[in-house]
Amino acid sequence: MNNSTFTLEMKVRDYECDMQGVVNNAIYQNYLEHTRHEALLSLGESFNDWTEKKIFPMVAKAEIEYKTPLKSGDKFNSELFIERNGARYLFHQKIFRKNDNKLCINAIIHIIVVQNGKLTRGDEFAKVLSPFIHDKD
């Protein structure tokens, strides 16, 4: 299994926290999406490039386990690797707080690829993402 990961370091901003002083649960999805976009950019592509080609990778399902809260000023690493299962791409994503390496988020984001209004296997998408993909089939 190819466990190559992409890692992105980020920092919590004050306005991302709720009244309890921890990162609001919805903000974590922004962190996860930003990581996916940066991973693609690290390979010389962008989601804008795909949109221009009329190829649309889309979130079909998000499974998120919240483990340890992040607070304002915390630095963290957001990691991903991708598993391909037929026409579905499973983005395995984790967020670790840097000062103690505690797991904050464990997520699987299911991505499908639509081209010209039809679900595809996304083979062109897979080719670009291959450094981070484990092909299940």
Side-chain angles (χ1 to χ4, degrees):
M1 179 162 141
N2 178 6
N3 276 326
S4 297
T5 57
F6 173 80
T7 302
L8 180 65
E9 183 179 314
M10 291 187 267
K11 184 179 176 181
V12 175
R13 297 163 290 216
D14 293 340
Y15 61 84
E16 297 171 326
C17 297
D18 60 22
M19 292 179 67
Q20 290 80 36
V22 297
V23 171
N24 181 281
N25 68 83
I27 298 298
Y28 288 99
Q29 288 206 44
N30 292 334
Y31 295 157
L32 298 173
E33 184 169 7
H34 184 64
T35 303
R36 293 191 301 275
H37 283 245
E38 290 294 319
L40 192 55
L41 284 170
S42 78
L43 299 170
E45 295 276 341
S46 74
F47 279 97
N48 189 49
D49 296 334
W50 292 98
T51 299
E52 288 176 7
K53 297 177 196 176
K54 306 288 188 233
I55 300 172
F56 303 101
M58 297 188 284
V59 174
K61 179 179 178 181
E63 301 173 56
I64 302 172
E65 295 178 274
Y66 300 92
K67 299 292 192 177
T68 303
L70 288 168
K71 297 180 180 179
S72 181
D74 281 347
K75 290 182 180 176
F76 60 94
N77 286 326
S78 181
E79 300 180 354
L80 73 75
F81 82 90
I82 304 164
E83 181 179 23
R84 186 173 182 196
N85 187 359
R88 198 168 279 254
Y89 295 82
L90 305 178
F91 282 69
H92 295 267
Q93 296 188 249
K94 295 179 185 293
I95 292 178
F96 295 94
R97 190 168 53 206
K98 281 197 68 155
N99 70 344
D100 59 6
N101 207 35
K102 280 215 170 192
L103 178 64
C104 300
I105 289 288
N106 187 20
I108 302 173
I109 308 299
H110 299 246
I111 304 289
I112 58 170
V113 180
V114 174
Q115 186 169 2
N116 299 320
K118 295 181 182 175
L119 179 65
T120 70
R121 284 185 44 85
D123 291 331
E124 197 176 335
F125 191 58
K127 202 177 298 180
V128 170
L129 292 173
S130 64
F132 306 126
I133 290 181
H134 165 65
D135 214 339
K136 198 171 183 178
D137 48 30

